[in-house]
Amino acid sequence: MAKHRLLFIFSLIISGFCFSQEGEADSVVSRRTITPSFYLDYGKLFTIPMDFETKYEGGLELLFRDKFPLILVIGQANLKPEGAYSNGTYESEGFYYRVGAGFVSQWKPKNKIGISLRYASSVFTERGRIFIESPSGSQNDFVQNINREDLKANWYEVVVYSDRKLSDLFSIGLNLHLRILGNYDEQKGVDVYAIPGYGRSFDKTIPAANLFLKVSF
């Protein structure tokens, strides 16, 4: 599994490099000093009907000289992972942000591709209850309530992304992430299970993808 995730990292980096080189050869574009964009992760809206997860995410991008983006992403998530505990309930909710910089290049007249490195952080709460009953009655039943506030976590991301221009104002695109867990507030007994914006705490690397709609000015 670790080898597969390392291969995923190198694939992201190599793909971004190859496409950017091709874009340099095939396109000539006029460069603006700064291009601001707002974008909405519309793929997250599809998770609203699902019981286990609800997410809202949007961001701001400042693109310098049509080449170098600075990116800020802010999101809110409510996670109810199915099967987190076989004898209990669990819910994790909080806010997160990602900030980073990268390189982007014109691939085709209406397409761009890029790569970026990002730092991310989350502040969240956990709620739940674990109940284990002694079938024989020889031992006391085990009950633990989970009620934790102001938990914190941070991680890092390698992101390869592409977008396609629909008009002078709108573009749609795809982000491919590899998330690498840094630190989180570990708990004794029953540890943190899910981190909003990241995923399960016991997975030290997590691949992910999301779709976005971008509005550029």
Side-chain angles (χ1 to χ4, degrees):
M1 182 63 69
K3 291 182 178 180
H4 291 165
R5 287 170 174 165
L6 288 174
L7 180 61
F8 185 82
I9 295 176
F10 290 124
S11 298
L12 291 180
I13 296 172
I14 291 171
S15 297
F17 177 78
C18 291
F19 282 126
S20 66
Q21 294 301 311
E22 181 179 347
E24 290 286 351
D26 293 345
S27 63
V28 177
V29 295
S30 60
R31 296 183 178 180
R32 297 175 57 187
T33 303
I34 301 177
T35 303
S37 300
F38 296 94
Y39 63 88
L40 170 69
D41 182 356
Y42 69 88
K44 296 290 187 292
L45 299 178
F46 298 144
T47 67
I48 292 176
M50 302 178 185
D51 292 335
F52 71 92
E53 181 180 57
T54 302
K55 289 185 179 180
Y56 303 93
E57 184 177 298
L60 168 67
E61 176 187 278
L62 296 178
L63 182 62
F64 294 87
R65 302 291 296 173
D66 289 335
K67 288 289 183 182
F68 307 104
L70 293 179
I71 303 160
L72 171 65
V73 176
I74 298 175
Q76 185 272 339
N78 180 273
L79 307 177
K80 297 179 181 178
E82 196 172 323
Y85 300 108
S86 57
N87 298 297
T89 61
Y90 177 84
E91 179 178 356
S92 176
E93 183 174 16
F95 293 89
Y96 58 91
Y97 72 88
R98 303 184 179 99
V99 62
F103 174 81
V104 66
S105 180
Q106 199 76 28
W107 175 26
K108 293 181 179 180
K110 292 187 177 182
N111 293 76
K112 289 183 179 180
I113 190 164
I115 187 168
S116 70
L117 300 177
R118 305 180 188 182
Y119 170 84
S121 180
S122 178
V123 178
F124 59 101
T125 63
E126 285 190 308
R127 301 281 186 274
R129 187 172 187 268
I130 300 173
F131 179 79
I132 301 176
E133 184 179 4
S134 173
S136 65
S138 58
Q139 298 179 344
N140 295 329
D141 296 337
F142 174 81
V143 178
Q144 179 167 340
N145 293 314
I146 301 173
N147 188 4
R148 301 165 179 163
E149 304 278 350
D150 295 325
L151 298 175
K152 297 178 176 63
N154 65 71
W155 64 95
Y156 305 89
E157 298 190 2
V158 180
V159 183
V160 167
Y161 55 97
S162 65
D163 63 57
R164 178 175 177 81
K165 181 178 287 188
L166 301 178
S167 68
D168 290 339
L169 191 61
F170 296 103
S171 303
I172 57 173
L174 169 68
N175 286 326
L176 298 176
H177 305 250
L178 184 70
R179 299 169 182 163
I180 304 166
L181 185 60
N183 297 292
Y184 70 95
D185 292 338
E186 298 185 39
Q187 304 295 309
K188 294 182 179 180
V190 179
D191 199 5
V192 170
Y193 186 88
I195 301 169
Y198 178 81
R200 299 179 303 185
S201 63
F202 52 84
D203 287 329
K204 302 308 178 185
T205 58
I206 295 178
N210 67 289
L211 302 170
F212 62 85
L213 172 68
K214 180 186 291 186
V215 184
S216 302
F217 300 96

